[in-house]
Amino acid sequence: MAITRSNPISLEVLQSEPAVEDQERVTAEIKTLVSDIKAVDTDMLGWVRKQADLTKLRIGVRARRNTPWKGSANVSIPVIDGIIRRWKPGVASLVLDADPIAFFTAQSEDDIEAARAVEPFFTYLFREHMQTTYPTVQLVDTIAWRGHAYTREAWKYQTRREARVVPVKQLFPNGIEQFVQQAAQAAEQQGKETSPEDAIMQLLEDEYKLDRQDEKEGPMLLAAVAKIQDGAQYVKIVYRRVQYDRPDWQVIDPINVIVPQNQNPEDAEWFVIMHQFTPDQLRGMMIDGFFLEGPIAQILDKETRTEGTNDTGGSQTDHARETIIDIRDRKAGKAKEMSQSKVGTVPVWEIYCNLDVNGDGERERCILWWAPKQNLALGLVDFPFPFEGWPITYYPFEAQARPIDNQGIAEKLRPFQKIISAFHNARLDAAQITLAPVLGMRVTSGNYKKTIKWHPGAVIPLNNINDLQPIIHDKGILPALLQEQQINQRLAETYIGVFDATLTNLEAAGERRTAAEINAITNISGNIFGLDAKIFIVAFGKSLTKIWQLYEDLGDEEMFFRVAGEEKPRKARKSEIVRNYDIRAAGTPANTNKSFQIQNLERIMQLLFQPQVLATGMFDFTEIVAQWLKLVDYQMSKRIIRSAEDGNIAQTLMSAANIVDPDAEGSI
């Protein structure tokens, strides 16, 4: 399918053109803004370097160690990575396992039914239509690693060039001549005239949603019609297809963000997201209406002429960020390229800022695309989103006001991992010394050192058999060394509160733990994680509110969606579900844990299935049992649970059978 609608946030729609007399003033404002951004970027250099150190620790990049001797131990114990991997599933489940993803509370009595209907639709929109599973895991990992993260809520619009080979017989199964005759007869009945070329072109337009008036599609259609009339068996149809036209929830690594650290990032004076675009991405965004054609042509021309050079023109902070990328590449086994290639990237800044574009003395919210290497503005548009602040949501780990003040799991465990790794290497060296065969030789004269290379079949000349004696080490130190490492590991894990090593310590398997001790440890861990979950959910609720506001403004009027447990898709109409809601993220540590949910439902069933409760008729017991079956085995529940219509039919048949034969046993 070709393009059904153009980019709703393109330059053509939103571009802010300053008047001729205001161009110099706006240019000066932009230069001042860029200068402020670079100053803040330089101030963050220390924080960026600290992130490089944390990257080395987490992925295990270490310098070669030749002391105390060549071949000594040089391993990195992944304490940071291990605890992050245990912390991530609990927080990610708040998004991935919550059903619905958010609670919509109506603000008036007339909107209660709409609020109930919108919850399953929004769950499908966020999870399936926007494809947010991987971004969710990436967001949680970034929060734990960097100490904070950002998400960008915007509208994603992207097209792609498509080419299709069309068999002519498929278009005209009865032949072209018969199709032309039928088209002429139909036009004559309507009092119109049509030529064979127009009839064939109209068929191609209807089949592939093309437009002959388009400057690119029109010539292609004329060429295809000419080939069809000349008897070609196949024709090529080329068009642009809309690949994405939906709300977007993108995770932004703080490494790629520049923001004043003394302000709330979501409504600071300005906010910068640093991108690296390939030439193909720049061309695509230019075609989709994000960038101006002139600056993109200059950038691509300059990149082509400077190909093969190593001059990046970046700042000191840029080199620090490149160091982090280089660390990851070396760990992954990728060789460092010393020169730019044809697939190199171009740095582009996406700047949310306030500028006085129209000269009325009031600064308006704008989006500025800026190429820092070339000092070129790629596009300047009015801010189109219905948010009070920027389309940015701030996710802190510790809820500190300044982003760089938040310590993530990686920074909290940095001293523990360094101590554990250093001690583990020392222990391995000590074990190597203790277990290595060491021989002492009697020296008859002089003071000298002699090293014997011990290997099978070696011949060692001796004057006396007692000249060579083994030196026996005390191996009782090994258990003490092992215990010291476990103590450090336990301290690190207890510090974060996600795991208690004493419950599964193999060395202390004989030590009994009372139920009270286990409950106390579980409660402490749960309280720590519960607070982390609440901090995350508050920020996540802001993201969901912004995504819903985007759908209200730019979403499709009608959209099919699926609900878990239902075979037939539903249709959501914007006119029926768009209302004023209070939106709150639904995920909690309790309702996203399937074991807890099953246990709670079983307790409810034991209480409600009492005779005195059944007699009240206040509760829908079939829904309770159906929900329990879905949690126990979802696939089986789909096969054995009847729909409401089938249930009514079965109940009617059962009643009829009891009337015909009241003494009959069993049921249908």
Side-chain angles (χ1 to χ4, degrees):
M1 181 182 294
I3 294 177
T4 55
R5 73 168 184 173
S6 59
N7 186 357
I9 55 173
S10 64
L11 285 170
E12 182 181 355
V13 179
L14 299 172
Q15 185 173 1
S16 297
E17 286 284 355
V20 177
E21 61 273 12
D22 294 331
Q23 289 183 357
E24 292 186 2
R25 179 184 51 78
V26 173
T27 302
E29 283 192 34
I30 292 176
K31 289 182 178 179
T32 302
L33 173 65
V34 171
S35 178
D36 294 342
I37 292 172
K38 291 182 178 180
V40 173
D41 189 26
T42 303
D43 290 340
M44 292 179 61
L45 181 59
W47 182 84
V48 174
R49 287 175 174 170
K50 182 174 65 175
Q51 298 307 309
D53 183 40
L54 295 178
T55 301
K56 291 180 182 179
L57 283 176
R58 182 178 180 185
I59 66 180
V61 174
R62 293 169 60 91
R64 290 186 176 274
R65 179 170 176 261
N66 294 324
T67 56
W69 63 84
K70 186 177 181 180
S72 59
N74 188 32
V75 297
S76 178
I77 306 301
V79 176
I80 292 175
D81 188 66
I83 294 182
I84 288 178
R85 285 177 61 83
R86 285 197 292 272
W87 183 83
K88 278 196 302 185
V91 181
S93 66
L94 302 176
V95 180
L96 302 179
D97 297 333
D99 191 17
I101 192 70
F103 295 131
F104 284 68
T105 305
Q107 296 185 3
S108 66
E109 295 182 0
D110 298 335
D111 299 338
I112 293 178
E113 291 299 324
R116 293 176 180 175
V118 77
E119 287 180 356
F121 165 71
F122 188 74
T123 301
Y124 171 84
L125 174 71
F126 182 80
R127 286 210 186 114
E128 304 299 331
H129 189 61
M130 294 173 55
Q131 302 173 0
T132 56
T133 300
Y134 286 167
T136 299
V137 179
Q138 181 187 0
L139 171 63
V140 176
D141 187 274
T142 305
I143 295 171
W145 193 354
R146 307 296 188 199
H148 67 283
Y150 303 95
T151 57
R152 172 179 172 268
E153 295 80 22
W155 193 264
K156 186 173 184 178
Y157 185 90
Q158 183 177 339
T159 63
R160 183 172 63 187
R161 182 180 182 273
E162 296 282 355
R164 292 289 181 269
V165 176
V166 181
V168 176
K169 289 184 178 180
Q170 182 176 333
L171 290 174
F172 310 98
N174 298 323
I176 298 177
E177 296 180 357
Q178 185 174 353
F179 169 78
V180 171
Q181 292 177 0
Q182 293 175 353
Q185 293 174 1
E188 186 178 354
Q189 292 176 359
Q190 298 176 0
K192 300 179 181 179
E193 294 183 359
T194 182
S195 64
E197 292 81 3
D198 289 338
I200 297 173
M201 185 173 295
Q202 187 63 46
L203 176 64
L204 293 176
E205 285 183 306
D206 296 340
E207 185 73 18
Y208 293 95
K209 303 294 187 295
L210 302 176
D211 183 9
R212 70 180 71 184
Q213 302 299 328
D214 186 87
E215 59 180 8
K216 294 183 178 180
E217 294 178 358
M220 179 271 300
L221 283 171
L222 290 174
V225 170
K227 290 182 179 180
I228 291 173
Q229 290 182 321
D230 291 342
Q233 296 182 357
Y234 301 94
V235 293
K236 183 178 73 171
I237 302 296
V238 181
Y239 54 89
R240 295 198 71 83
R241 181 176 67 87
V242 177
Q243 190 176 10
Y244 298 106
D245 189 8
R246 56 169 172 75
D248 185 40
W249 191 59
Q250 182 182 2
V251 179
I252 308 297
D253 192 328
I255 289 294
N256 300 320
V257 165
I258 309 174
V259 62
Q261 294 299 312
N262 58 349
Q263 302 174 17
N264 181 10
E266 296 181 20
D267 50 14
E269 291 184 5
W270 47 263
F271 191 99
V272 180
I273 303 175
M274 306 170 67
H275 300 277
Q276 293 287 339
F277 290 139
T278 63
D280 287 342
Q281 289 174 325
L282 291 175
R283 293 188 188 94
M285 295 187 70
M286 179 190 68
I287 292 173
D288 292 338
F290 289 100
F291 297 154
L292 296 170
E293 184 175 356
I296 294 300
Q298 294 182 40
I299 291 175
L300 296 180
D301 179 64
K302 185 175 180 180
E303 288 296 314
T304 303
R305 287 187 285 106
T306 59
E307 180 184 337
T309 65
N310 197 27
D311 180 18
T312 60
S315 65
Q316 199 174 13
T317 315
D318 295 333
H319 294 311
R321 292 188 175 95
E322 291 171 2
T323 300
I324 297 178
I325 299 175
D326 182 52
I327 291 171
R328 294 175 180 173
D329 289 345
R330 286 193 287 116
K331 182 63 178 178
K334 180 181 177 182
K336 183 178 180 180
E337 298 179 0
M338 299 304 297
S339 62
Q340 299 291 330
S341 63
K342 292 183 179 179
V343 294
T345 56
V346 177
V348 176
W349 289 355
E350 182 181 1
I351 307 175
Y352 298 98
C353 56
N354 296 281
L355 296 174
D356 181 13
V357 179
N358 54 16
D360 60 356
E362 182 181 0
R363 301 171 68 196
E364 298 87 13
R365 292 196 295 174
C366 303
I367 303 177
L368 172 65
W369 292 92
W370 180 263
K373 183 179 174 181
Q374 294 82 11
N375 287 326
L376 284 176
L378 306 183
L380 176 63
V381 298
D382 289 325
F383 185 78
F385 304 125
F387 312 140
E388 294 182 0
W390 304 124
I392 300 296
T393 303
Y394 170 50
Y395 286 79
F397 183 79
E398 296 181 311
Q400 298 291 332
R402 295 199 315 170
I404 59 175
D405 288 339
N406 288 276
Q407 296 184 83
I409 292 178
E411 187 170 356
K412 287 179 177 295
L413 295 183
R414 174 165 59 173
F416 288 104
Q417 176 157 331
K418 286 186 175 181
I419 291 172
I420 291 173
S421 297
F423 184 82
H424 189 68
N425 286 311
R427 182 173 62 87
L428 290 177
D429 292 342
Q432 186 177 358
I433 293 172
T434 302
L435 300 176
V438 181
L439 301 175
M441 179 178 290
R442 180 171 60 89
V443 179
T444 57
S445 63
N447 293 324
Y448 63 92
K449 297 179 181 179
K450 179 176 291 187
T451 301
I452 299 175
K453 293 183 179 180
W454 185 271
H455 59 85
V459 177
I460 303 175
L462 298 173
N463 294 328
N464 191 327
I465 190 63
N466 294 325
D467 288 347
L468 194 63
Q469 295 289 339
I471 298 175
I472 306 300
H473 292 281
D474 182 11
K475 297 181 175 58
I477 193 176
L478 291 178
L481 295 174
L482 180 61
Q483 183 181 6
E484 182 68 24
Q485 181 197 357
Q486 290 177 344
I487 291 174
N488 282 282
Q489 181 84 9
R490 192 179 309 165
L491 286 173
E493 293 171 341
T494 306
Y495 180 45
I496 299 301
V498 297
F499 182 74
D500 182 49
T502 58
L503 296 178
T504 57
N505 186 1
L506 298 179
E507 294 295 323
E511 182 182 352
R512 296 286 184 176
R513 309 288 295 189
T514 65
E517 289 175 324
I518 294 176
N519 288 334
I521 293 169
T522 304
N523 290 335
I524 292 173
S525 301
N527 290 336
I528 295 174
F529 175 74
L531 182 59
D532 293 343
K534 290 176 182 178
I535 294 173
F536 177 84
I537 283 299
V538 168
F540 183 59
K542 297 179 182 178
S543 291
L544 297 181
T545 302
K546 294 175 183 178
I547 290 171
W548 176 249
Q549 291 173 337
L550 284 169
Y551 172 77
E552 286 182 336
D553 279 9
L554 304 174
D556 294 331
E557 294 299 325
E558 293 184 350
M559 181 176 172
F560 285 97
F561 68 99
R562 292 192 174 275
V563 178
E566 297 184 7
E567 297 294 335
K568 296 181 180 179
R570 298 185 188 180
K571 178 185 285 188
R573 294 181 176 87
K574 188 189 291 187
S575 59
E576 298 175 357
I577 62 176
V578 171
R579 301 289 188 275
N580 292 325
Y581 304 109
D582 291 326
I583 303 174
R584 179 169 56 90
T588 65
N591 66 16
T592 55
N593 187 310
K594 185 177 290 187
S595 299
F596 288 166
Q597 289 178 286
I598 293 175
Q599 292 174 9
N600 291 336
L601 277 175
E602 290 175 348
R603 294 192 190 100
I604 293 173
M605 291 165 66
Q606 291 176 0
L607 174 64
L608 298 184
F609 286 176
Q610 300 295 326
Q612 59 271 26
V613 180
L614 289 171
T616 63
M618 295 176 59
F619 304 98
D620 189 350
F621 299 99
T622 57
E623 181 64 27
I624 296 174
V625 176
Q627 185 65 24
W628 180 81
L629 283 172
K630 291 177 181 178
L631 291 172
V632 173
D633 192 333
Y634 176 71
Q635 293 298 328
M636 180 179 290
S637 68
K638 290 176 62 177
R639 295 194 296 268
I640 65 177
I641 296 178
R642 293 169 173 161
S643 64
E645 294 80 4
D646 293 341
N648 293 333
I649 294 173
Q651 190 174 9
T652 303
L653 292 176
M654 291 167 60
S655 301
N658 290 330
I659 293 174
V660 173
D661 187 2
D663 298 328
E665 297 181 356
S667 59
I668 298 177

